[in-house]
Amino acid sequence: MLIVGEKINSSRKNIKNMVEGKNKEFIQELAQKQVEGGAQMLDLNIGTIRNSESEDMKWLVKTVQAAVDVPLCIDSPNHEVIKAGLEVYDWNKGKALINSVTGEKEKLELILPLVKKCKCSVVALTMDERGIPQNSKERFTIADGLIRKLTNEGIPTEDIYIDPLTLPVSANIQNSNTVLETLKRIKDSYPEVKTIIGLSNISYGLPERRLINQNFVILAMACGLDAVILDSTDQKIMALIKATNLLLGKDEFCGQYLKAFREGKL
Amino acid sequence: MLIVGEKINSSRKNIKNMVEGKNKEFIQELAQKQVEGGAQMLDLNIGTIRNSESEDMKWLVKTVQAAVDVPLCIDSPNHEVIKAGLEVYDWNKGKALINSVTGEKEKLELILPLVKKCKCSVVALTMDERGIPQNSKERFTIADGLIRKLTNEGIPTEDIYIDPLTLPVSANIQNSNTVLETLKRIKDSYPEVKTIIGLSNISYGLPERRLINQNFVILAMACGLDAVILDSTDQKIMALIKATNLLLGKDEFCGQYLKAFREGKL
């Protein structure tokens, strides 16, 4: 399981202020805390800062990479911002993950050259010009089309991360099942293609959100999840992921689990 | 999800003492607590009391049924004890569940007449004369044989509960996966047949057992689990099960989840 730290996201008001104010120390400390908590990659998302997004992303990539040694997920709906981030990216820190392309043709044509040029990984969302399909069959159809297009362009399957798009279960009780079924369909058809979800959306509008988020990541892991964007400073959820890895047979001799126990992290 | 309360089990020393001492008040209070916690059925297991097992089971069935209105799971490797329990069972409290038959021919021939006579449900374990198979394929083969035999004898599919037998993950890192895969195979082939597991074995020999037990029930539910034998007085695990029901699309309008929240049970 690739753990991607979610916290440097300008939809959180204090992050927006800290990025706009160029508060290097705050951002670097937040990056370090996430890595210490177990993040193996950090997501950078400043989608809510409109005027200086590209310059801010450049500053953010440089600031974070000066503090931690993990690769970054450059997360923006704007290809110019992604391009700006990649321009200053330090490739010695590992392969960047571009977040994201969709089934929208225009978007794909703008992002694809960046992925090919930088040989980075890419998140592909199961939506297209018509929006996000309600059911897993149609989401899989979009994923299937994207995987074919990307591999035809020479992107290795293991560099493709499909995000089946998590919508709140409070809006439609089937929203969780739709994601779980899409994950299963993808892994059944393309075992080497990676899957990724963001965790916080699922519980929007409900009480005790952490409880729901915790459960959702476990269920998703049972359905073949490879990567998750979450709060890696939340020790409880990190402990649950370790226990789940154990129960899915991915922790030989229970080594990681027992190590976490000895370190007081369970 | 059928929740079966596990606590009246003589492998716990105090239960053994209380049954031997015929402590009615203690047993009835324990039964009530489990039902208040959310148990919809109670397991009665006095397998470790050797001399007076049949008489003790009769006393236990009468004592528990005088206190609570849920059906019981009569749990014994000895068909005489099961028979004794059924003799005094109050059928107005709902259908009894016999625990268990296995692929062992002799055992099946002793238990089957009881199941047919009482029209009760039955737990079938995926083991036979050769023991418990290591892999899910062979466990499924045993389950498949048992389902055919039981339905040929007129037992309705919905009265059959397959238990894929949970062994500690500390002994073999694949023990959890084997159960999860067996559950999937059974539900894929026989959607109407029920599945059941006991929860506590999985974590034997490891620290922070509750964490592992919690995760295991969630993973099992993702693989089609219908019933679980657990400690229903553990509010944390009951909350996790409610959240999982929600995420599996089984809680229309999030009603049960929101009710539990309002009652302070999450």
Side-chain angles (χ1 to χ4, degrees):
Chain A
M1 271 287 287
L2 176 69
I3 306 289
V4 185
E6 72 179 8
K7 295 195 88 156
I8 303 178
N9 186 318
S10 65
S11 67
R12 294 158 188 252
K13 200 163 186 306
N14 66 330
I15 303 295
K16 187 169 185 282
N17 293 340
M18 293 298 162
V19 173
E20 284 175 347
K22 301 282 183 289
N23 189 323
K24 195 170 159 178
E25 199 183 339
F26 177 90
I27 293 293
Q28 290 188 331
E29 201 178 302
L30 187 56
Q32 280 156 352
K33 270 190 196 158
Q34 291 183 86
V35 172
E36 281 159 21
Q40 298 143 319
M41 178 182 274
L42 297 181
D43 189 74
L44 306 185
N45 181 325
I46 46 169
T48 58
I49 299 172
R50 286 293 165 215
N51 298 329
S52 55
E53 225 184 325
S54 290
E55 284 315 303
D56 286 341
M57 182 58 92
K58 280 188 185 179
W59 175 81
L60 209 49
V61 168
K62 284 189 282 186
T63 302
V64 171
Q65 290 202 309
V68 294
D69 284 332
V70 298
L72 303 178
C73 176
I74 316 279
D75 190 351
S76 173
N78 182 341
H79 74 283
E80 290 290 352
V81 177
I82 291 175
K83 197 177 160 198
L86 292 173
E87 271 167 22
V88 297
Y89 190 88
D90 176 358
W91 298 91
N92 293 319
K93 306 264 178 172
K95 201 184 273 188
L97 176 60
I98 288 180
N99 194 356
S100 54
V101 298
T102 70
E104 296 158 286
K105 199 166 171 249
E106 197 181 342
K107 190 157 189 174
L108 196 60
E109 282 168 5
L110 289 167
I111 302 279
L112 201 54
L114 298 176
V115 181
K116 287 167 75 171
K117 185 180 160 207
C118 300
K119 296 190 191 305
C120 50
S121 309
V122 62
V123 175
L125 311 180
T126 60
M127 61 180 289
D128 61 16
E129 287 81 359
R130 290 162 302 176
I132 305 173
Q134 275 291 331
N135 62 62
S136 66
K137 191 170 167 240
E138 288 175 52
R139 289 195 201 178
F140 174 76
T141 303
I142 295 175
D144 189 50
L146 276 161
I147 293 165
R148 286 167 198 267
K149 266 183 210 158
L150 291 167
T151 49
N152 278 343
E153 295 282 341
I155 316 290
T157 45
E158 62 269 24
D159 282 343
I160 303 170
Y161 287 75
I162 302 292
D163 181 341
L165 286 167
T166 302
L167 299 174
V169 77
S170 58
N172 181 335
I173 193 66
Q174 291 306 324
N175 276 344
S176 162
N177 260 340
T178 303
V179 169
L180 299 175
E181 280 164 22
T182 309
L183 289 174
K184 276 189 242 173
R185 281 174 191 260
I186 291 162
K187 297 304 286 189
D188 280 350
S189 301
Y190 298 101
E192 285 162 18
V193 164
K194 305 266 176 52
T195 53
I196 188 168
I197 58 170
L199 206 54
S200 50
N201 259 1
I202 190 71
S203 58
Y204 182 81
L206 285 172
E208 300 293 334
R209 293 186 64 176
R210 276 182 76 200
L211 177 68
I212 297 178
N213 295 350
Q214 286 166 9
N215 267 45
F216 190 55
V217 74
I218 299 171
L219 292 170
M221 287 172 77
C223 298
L225 188 69
D226 296 294
V228 59
I229 305 176
L230 52 60
D231 178 3
S232 63
T233 66
D234 178 344
Q235 191 172 306
K236 176 75 188 166
I237 207 159
M238 296 301 287
L240 287 171
I241 289 172
K242 286 188 186 85
T244 305
N245 264 331
L246 175 76
L247 291 171
L248 292 176
K250 294 175 181 174
D251 184 6
E252 194 104 36
F253 307 116
C254 312
Q256 292 302 312
Y257 182 81
L258 291 171
K259 181 169 177 283
F261 173 69
R262 284 192 303 268
E263 291 170 353
K265 288 184 176 169
L266 292 185
Chain B
M1 271 287 284
L2 175 70
I3 306 291
V4 185
E6 72 179 7
K7 295 196 88 158
I8 303 178
N9 187 318
S10 64
S11 67
R12 294 157 187 252
K13 199 162 185 307
N14 66 331
I15 304 294
K16 187 168 184 283
N17 294 341
M18 293 297 161
V19 173
E20 285 175 347
K22 300 282 183 290
N23 191 323
K24 195 169 159 179
E25 200 184 338
F26 177 90
I27 293 293
Q28 291 188 330
E29 201 178 301
L30 187 57
Q32 281 157 353
K33 267 190 198 159
Q34 291 184 86
V35 173
E36 281 159 20
Q40 298 144 321
M41 178 183 274
L42 297 181
D43 190 71
L44 306 186
N45 182 324
I46 47 168
T48 57
I49 301 173
R50 287 291 165 216
N51 299 326
S52 56
E53 224 185 325
S54 290
E55 284 314 303
D56 285 342
M57 182 59 92
K58 279 188 187 179
W59 175 80
L60 209 47
V61 168
K62 285 190 281 187
T63 302
V64 170
Q65 290 203 309
V68 295
D69 284 333
V70 299
L72 302 178
C73 177
I74 315 281
D75 190 351
S76 174
N78 182 341
H79 74 284
E80 291 290 352
V81 177
I82 291 175
K83 197 175 161 201
L86 291 173
E87 271 168 23
V88 297
Y89 190 88
D90 176 358
W91 297 92
N92 293 318
K93 306 263 178 173
K95 200 184 275 188
L97 176 60
I98 288 181
N99 194 357
S100 55
V101 298
T102 70
E104 295 159 286
K105 200 164 171 255
E106 197 181 341
K107 188 155 188 176
L108 195 60
E109 281 167 6
L110 290 167
I111 302 279
L112 200 54
L114 298 175
V115 181
K116 286 166 78 171
K117 185 181 161 208
C118 299
K119 295 189 189 308
C120 50
S121 309
V122 61
V123 174
L125 311 180
T126 59
M127 61 180 288
D128 61 16
E129 287 82 0
R130 291 161 299 176
I132 305 172
Q134 277 290 333
N135 63 61
S136 67
K137 192 169 167 239
E138 287 174 52
R139 289 197 200 178
F140 175 76
T141 303
I142 296 176
D144 189 49
L146 277 161
I147 293 165
R148 286 168 199 268
K149 267 183 209 156
L150 292 167
T151 50
N152 278 344
E153 295 282 342
I155 317 289
T157 45
E158 61 270 25
D159 282 343
I160 303 169
Y161 288 75
I162 303 291
D163 181 340
L165 286 168
T166 302
L167 299 173
V169 76
S170 57
N172 180 334
I173 193 67
Q174 290 307 322
N175 276 343
S176 162
N177 260 341
T178 302
V179 169
L180 299 174
E181 280 164 22
T182 310
L183 288 175
K184 275 190 243 172
R185 281 175 191 259
I186 291 163
K187 297 304 285 188
D188 280 349
S189 301
Y190 298 102
E192 284 161 18
V193 164
K194 306 266 175 52
T195 52
I196 188 167
I197 58 171
L199 205 54
S200 49
N201 260 0
I202 190 71
S203 57
Y204 183 80
L206 285 171
E208 300 293 333
R209 293 187 63 175
R210 276 181 77 201
L211 177 68
I212 296 177
N213 295 351
Q214 287 166 9
N215 266 48
F216 190 55
V217 74
I218 300 171
L219 292 171
M221 287 173 78
C223 298
L225 188 69
D226 295 295
V228 60
I229 305 176
L230 52 61
D231 178 3
S232 63
T233 67
D234 178 345
Q235 192 171 305
K236 176 73 189 167
I237 207 160
M238 296 300 287
L240 287 172
I241 288 173
K242 286 189 187 87
T244 306
N245 265 331
L246 176 77
L247 291 171
L248 293 176
K250 292 174 182 175
D251 183 7
E252 193 103 38
F253 307 119
C254 312
Q256 292 302 312
Y257 182 82
L258 291 171
K259 182 169 176 285
F261 172 69
R262 285 191 303 266
E263 291 169 353
K265 288 183 177 170
L266 292 185

